[in-house]
Amino acid sequence: MKKERFDAITDAILAIIITLMVLEIKIPELTVENLPNILYQILIYALSFITIAIIWLNHHRISAHTERIDITSVWVNFGLLFMISFIPIATGHLSGSFFEVANHIFYGIVVTLVVFFYALFQERITKGENRKEFRRDRKLSWSIMVLYFLSIPLSFLSVYISGCIFLFVPILYFFQTKK
């Protein structure tokens, strides 16, 4: 498949997912008493939005190095997009009731699977590349997947621990120097 066609479908699906995500947020009446809940919802929405933006940026960065995408990579990408499509649902649950352990588990499972499929896609696209940058990025993706996976059992100890993991990962990407 030509890269342009591949990028077009990926961009379109991600745009729809981001649109659906904002529809999942249910902001209560704007009062001083509701302000902490509203801020939680906005923070969780922003976290999910940034997560999708990071995936989009990295996806385009690694796919820019190839002219054609093989069919297996296309299917792995559809697996990635399928998992990303659960982010609005997980975001809605987490922002609706931040202190429910089940919501942290669900969000943790979703983002773990998103990064798993992203790492698989990244491995396929950059498998022939032996550049230091690609090796580092592949290691980082698998490490992030493990960290997100750990958020699942750690949420039983405290939702604040899993919440910190969800916050830490996007912050980590901002400290990376990527071209």
Side-chain angles (χ1 to χ4, degrees), residues 65-105:
H65 297 279
T66 186
E67 286 300 313
R68 296 189 64 77
I69 309 291
D70 65 53
I71 193 68
T72 303
S73 297
V74 171
W75 281 109
V76 170
N77 189 62
F78 276 122
L80 170 63
L81 293 170
F82 176 72
M83 293 316 307
I84 293 171
S85 73
F86 284 99
I87 289 179
I89 299 165
T91 300
H93 282 285
L94 192 61
S95 68
S97 185
F98 179 81
F99 297 101
E100 291 288 327
V101 173
N103 294 337
H104 283 257
I105 292 169

Side-chain angles (χ1 to χ4, degrees), residues 3-172:
K3 186 178 72 92
E4 293 78 20
R5 187 169 171 84
F6 173 79
D7 286 341
I9 188 70
T10 300
D11 291 348
I13 292 171
L14 288 176
I16 292 167
I17 291 169
I18 285 176
T19 302
L20 292 175
M21 191 168 58
V22 76
L23 297 175
E24 284 294 320
I25 304 299
K26 308 293 186 245
I27 301 228
E29 182 182 347
L30 293 174
T31 64
V32 173
E33 296 82 31
N34 288 336
L35 194 56
N37 186 27
I38 293 168
L39 293 176
Y40 270 123
Q41 289 190 32
I42 291 170
L43 175 65
I44 293 164
Y45 169 76
L47 219 54
S48 295
F49 187 94
I50 290 167
T51 299
I52 294 173
I54 289 168
I55 292 165
W56 181 82
L57 287 167
N58 286 333
H59 189 282
H60 281 282
R61 189 175 56 79
I62 64 171
S63 67
H65 297 279
T66 186
E67 286 300 313
R68 296 189 64 77
I69 309 291
D70 65 53
I71 193 68
T72 303
S73 297
V74 171
W75 281 109
V76 170
N77 189 62
F78 276 122
L80 170 63
L81 293 170
F82 176 72
M83 293 316 307
I84 293 171
S85 73
F86 284 99
I87 289 179
I89 299 165
T91 300
H93 282 285
L94 192 61
S95 68
S97 185
F98 179 81
F99 297 101
E100 291 288 327
V101 173
N103 294 337
H104 283 257
I105 292 169
F106 183 53
Y107 193 89
I109 289 169
V110 168
V111 291
T112 297
L113 289 172
V114 164
V115 177
F116 173 74
F117 276 95
Y118 175 78
L120 285 179
F121 177 75
Q122 185 180 38
E123 290 284 340
R124 290 216 38 92
I125 297 297
T126 64
K127 68 183 173 189
E129 299 282 343
N130 199 22
R131 293 175 26 201
K132 182 179 177 181
E133 158 190 3
F134 285 132
R135 287 193 314 268
R136 185 197 70 212
D137 288 352
R138 287 191 297 260
K139 286 179 189 174
L140 181 63
S141 293
W142 290 110
S143 299
I144 295 298
M145 188 204 67
V146 169
L147 189 59
Y148 272 144
F149 178 76
L150 289 175
S151 75
I152 299 165
L154 290 173
S155 66
F156 286 107
L157 293 175
S158 171
V159 294
Y160 291 110
I161 296 172
S162 58
C164 285
I165 291 171
F166 301 150
L167 184 61
F168 172 74
V169 171
I171 290 171
L172 177 67

